[in-house]
Amino acid sequence: MRLVRYGRPGKEKPGLIDDEGKLRDLSGVIDDVDAAQLAPKALRKLEKVAHASLPLVRGNPRFGVPVARVGKFVCIGLNYSDHAAEAGMPIPKEPIIFLKANTALSGPDDPIMMPQGSKKMDWEVELGIVIGTRAQYVSEADALKYVAGYTVVHDVSEREYQLERGGTWDKGKGFDTFGPVGPWLVTPEDLYDVQDLDLYLEVNGKRMQTGNTSTMIFSVAQIVSYVSKCMTLEPGDVIATGTPPGVGMGRKPQRFLKKGDVVRLGIAGLGEQQQEVIAWKATK
């Protein structure tokens, strides 16, 4: 099942993508795709809805973040060994955890705003985990039972703020619009193997990142288990699981995003995003 939220920012409606790839309206069935709808029982109930009976949505509406009111936006750093190598950093012995601000969240095709004075704005395609059941100290063997689904995350980064200006990584990761999520939340039964998904990212039509989740240092199950021992995971929390090689700071010469660049990224089975880089502007 592919769940979505569509419409103007702040006015999104719940929907799903049917087997023919058509957008169907779910607002007559649920109020929103939120924490209450991510529980296993609620998802099973939605799965039983006759998708062909739902109203078709005409046109090409904007997609928002596929989960309403995300609680925590957790990220895992350096989770691909070849990315750690290109960053000149050692392979971590335990998952590196940092947080992105919730104000970084944006729709999958919304523009990315360049922070004022930004010099090293970079791209990172990542598999996103959406939590469906409250998780505390869960075992690796049971961890996937707590996952409602998966999505595409663009972990946009400002490397100067992240690595050169002291403090933690968070301040280079949390700028407004630095966390596009979506287009869909795909429930686990619709993926053959979450540890065998191709990822890709292009800038202005040129392939920059190519990877597969099979090369993650820490698997989805390991990540959920580990993070649940560091903090309580709540339904609706999103975890970005790290990026494969090919980021701008790892290229020779380095290449960073500039105004007018267009980034296209996606993950097999989870859909595609596309964003234009624009100048920073105040948001409502």
Side-chain angles (χ1 to χ4, degrees):
M1 187 165 55
R2 293 176 287 177
L3 298 174
V4 302
R5 298 174 66 249
Y6 69 95
R8 292 180 294 125
K11 302 291 184 181
E12 292 92 348
K13 295 181 179 181
L16 61 78
I17 306 298
D18 68 16
D19 292 338
E20 297 179 354
K22 296 177 181 178
L23 174 59
R24 301 272 181 173
D25 180 34
L26 264 178
S27 58
V29 181
I30 59 175
D31 292 332
D32 210 341
V33 182
D34 56 15
Q37 300 302 330
L38 299 178
K41 184 177 180 180
L43 288 175
R44 286 194 297 269
K45 185 176 179 180
L46 276 181
E47 188 65 50
K48 293 178 181 179
V49 173
H51 296 176
S53 69
L54 298 170
L56 279 170
V57 179
R58 305 296 179 184
N60 295 292
R62 167 192 174 270
F63 284 156
V65 176
V67 180
R69 296 175 292 281
V70 172
K72 292 188 288 296
F73 196 173
V74 184
C75 298
I76 306 300
L78 301 178
N79 196 31
Y80 289 73
S81 57
D82 34 15
H83 172 55
E86 72 175 351
M89 298 179 183
I91 295 175
K93 296 180 180 179
E94 297 186 25
I96 295 172
I97 299 175
F98 62 93
L99 300 175
K100 287 179 87 81
N102 284 25
T103 46
L105 287 162
S106 62
D109 298 328
D110 293 345
I112 304 170
M113 295 193 301
M114 179 171 284
Q116 294 181 10
S118 174
K119 299 176 182 178
K120 297 184 178 181
M121 186 174 167
D122 207 346
W123 56 81
E124 295 188 30
V125 58
E126 307 200 5
L127 170 69
I129 305 167
V130 180
I131 299 298
T133 304
R134 196 168 196 252
Q136 296 175 312
Y137 286 92
V138 303
S139 69
E140 185 179 329
D142 290 335
L144 296 186
K145 298 176 183 178
Y146 294 80
V147 175
Y150 302 95
T151 190
V152 181
V153 174
H154 188 183
D155 177 18
V156 187
S157 308
E158 215 296 337
R159 302 301 190 187
E160 183 189 17
Y161 277 82
Q162 178 192 357
L163 301 172
E164 301 173 24
R165 300 183 65 156
T168 64
W169 287 8
D170 298 40
K171 76 179 176 186
K173 298 281 192 171
F175 289 101
D176 292 350
T177 73
F178 269 33
V181 177
W184 315 315
L185 184 161
V186 179
T187 50
E189 67 273 6
D190 275 21
L191 292 177
Y192 175 71
D193 183 358
V194 73
Q195 296 300 160
D196 186 18
L197 300 177
D198 291 330
L199 306 86
Y200 60 91
L201 183 145
E202 299 174 354
V203 179
N204 300 332
K206 180 179 179 180
R207 179 64 66 95
M208 297 295 186
Q209 288 186 275
T210 301
N212 186 282
T213 56
S214 63
T215 65
M216 290 166 59
I217 298 169
F218 304 104
S219 69
V220 168
Q222 289 173 314
I223 288 168
V224 172
S225 175
Y226 186 90
V227 176
S228 78
K229 297 170 184 176
C230 298
M231 64 190 78
T232 298
L233 291 171
E234 299 282 6
D237 287 351
V238 174
I239 306 174
T241 59
T243 198
V247 299
M249 73 172 181
R251 305 186 77 83
K252 295 180 181 180
Q254 290 184 329
R255 160 76 159 93
F256 296 110
L257 293 170
K258 60 183 185 301
K259 182 181 175 182
D261 283 345
V262 175
V263 185
R264 187 170 72 93
L265 61 146
I267 301 177
L270 299 181
E272 185 174 271
Q273 303 182 357
Q274 180 167 299
Q275 303 109 20
E276 180 182 0
V277 180
I278 65 172
W280 184 89
K281 61 181 180 181
T283 57
K284 295 181 180 180

